Amino acid sequence: MKGKLIFITGATSGIGEACARKFADMGSNLILNGRNTEKLEALKKELTARGVEVLTLPFDVRNREDMRRAVDSLEGKWQQIDVLVNNAGLVLGMDKEHEGSLDEWDIVIDTNIKALLAMTRMIVPGMVERQRGHIINIGSIAGDAAYAGGSVYCATKAAVKALSDGLRIDLVDTPLRVTNVKPGMVETNFSVVRFRGDKDKADAVYNGIRPLTGEDIAEVVYYAASAPEHVQIAEVLVMPTYQATGTVCHRQL
Ligand code: NDP
Ligand code: 8X3
């Protein structure tokens, strides 16, 4: 992957940040998106010191105009994106479908579905023109089956699966590849965001079980991206060893 150009959304934390480090370690150049400009600049400084080129592209992925402006601002070699990692995503709360906040769910749907689709719509045409590219979507085990209090989040990740499968069909007559990486429990800032900053509740999610790390997922993303060109890793479900489904895990308490 040396010299390849990787565009990662939500690169300021967790899985996205770990992917940035992994690709940088393997010599790839990076376009890093996020909302936290300070964090983006710190990451850029760290990764450029490893000898790769990094462009930061700060925008809220829910803002389509800002996304358009950012993508249109890419010039020359920065337009030649080899891998798009659609990673930015979140969930807010664990409310029942008939009780939760429609405004919060708009944020989740706009980020996890509409922004992923808009990024795909803006970046993939260039890949088709160049006859080169790979779209890696970060889905979730949550997209495989609904769980209590997860209905909207699960729906968004089911949508990521459908969008990934649909795109793979639409691109079947091209050399482009589409991968849906579906993690189980990964300890990142995800649960802190889900529980609206309550660190104790977030920590309890991983009580008695060794969760995956962002780095574990970055290894999977890198594996898919670096597979030989005739190999398309369509979907990967990756869980901690003591997790069996979205709702079944063994806690050693
Ligand atoms: P983190 O909260 O650690 O990271 C999420 C990243 O997405 C942050 O950089 C965050 O930036 C960014 N982001 C969120 N909203 C926006 C936005 N509107 N515009 C730009 N960036 C945004 O969580 P994870 O690393 O765990 O999550 C990454 C992906 O992995 C998500 O799609 C999540 O659904 C998925 N996933 C996570 C699992 C887990 O157990 N952790 C399991 C399965 C899937 P900011 O800090 O500004 O909010
Ligand atoms: C995050 C994993 O199990 O909390 O996508 O939904 S889970």
Side-chain angles (χ1 to χ4, degrees):
M1 299 300 289
K2 195 166 163 50
K4 299 273 189 201
L5 180 58
I6 321 297
F7 190 145
I8 303 171
T9 64
T12 55
S13 175
I15 295 170
E17 185 176 356
C19 286
R21 289 206 173 93
K22 176 67 189 180
F23 279 104
D25 281 347
M26 304 314 283
S28 303
N29 300 317
L30 294 155
I31 300 175
L32 301 180
N33 157 263
R35 297 183 285 193
N36 181 338
T37 47
E38 233 171 79
K39 189 78 199 276
L40 277 180
E41 287 312 312
L43 197 54
K44 176 179 176 172
K45 199 170 164 200
E46 175 194 326
L47 300 182
T48 47
R50 298 184 195 184
V52 299
E53 293 186 70
V54 178
L55 181 77
T56 56
L57 220 44
F59 60 92
D60 184 321
V61 293
R62 290 173 298 156
N63 186 324
R64 195 169 300 161
E65 274 179 29
D66 286 354
M67 184 189 287
R68 181 80 270 170
R69 245 192 306 274
V71 171
D72 285 350
S73 75
L74 296 173
E75 287 178 346
K77 65 181 181 188
W78 294 106
Q79 293 175 335
Q80 317 276 309
I81 296 157
D82 294 295
V83 180
L84 168 63
V85 183
N86 272 318
N87 164 76
L90 81 168
V91 63
L92 297 167
M94 287 210 71
D95 302 300
K96 291 180 191 272
E97 193 170 318
H98 59 290
E99 293 174 353
S101 155
L102 285 170
D103 289 338
E104 281 189 335
W105 289 339
D106 277 344
I107 294 172
V108 176
I109 290 165
D110 288 352
T111 310
N112 296 3
I113 306 178
K114 290 169 71 180
L116 177 144
L117 180 57
M119 281 299 297
T120 302
R121 181 65 185 86
M122 289 186 203
I123 301 296
V124 174
M127 290 178 165
V128 172
E129 218 172 283
R130 293 187 295 279
Q131 289 288 286
R132 194 178 81 235
H134 192 159
I135 302 90
I136 302 182
N137 292 328
I138 306 299
S140 171
I141 194 172
D144 286 359
Y147 58 79
S151 117
V152 172
Y153 180 67
C154 294
T156 66
K157 292 301 183 176
V160 171
K161 176 175 166 52
L163 291 170
S164 306
D165 291 347
L167 185 63
R168 201 176 301 110
I169 293 165
D170 291 340
L171 295 173
V172 72
D173 57 350
T174 78
L176 274 63
R177 301 182 290 184
V178 182
T179 300
N180 180 18
V181 175
K182 306 189 299 182
M185 277 190 259
V186 191
E187 191 166 15
T188 59
N189 209 37
F190 178 83
S191 291
V192 178
V193 172
R194 161 168 259 172
F195 293 112
R196 306 179 181 94
D198 187 330
K199 186 82 171 62
D200 291 339
K201 274 193 184 169
D203 288 346
V205 173
Y206 313 108
N207 199 16
I209 186 164
R210 180 175 171 184
L212 300 173
T213 62
E215 288 71 26
D216 293 324
I217 304 305
E219 289 296 328
V220 175
V221 169
Y222 184 80
Y223 176 79
S226 59
E229 277 178 20
H230 68 288
V231 177
Q232 176 170 223
I233 311 289
E235 196 169 284
V236 185
L237 173 63
V238 51
M239 295 177 283
T241 301
Y242 285 95
Q243 179 175 15
T245 72
T247 51
V248 176
C249 67
H250 175 67
R251 296 181 192 273
Q252 288 162 314
L253 297 167

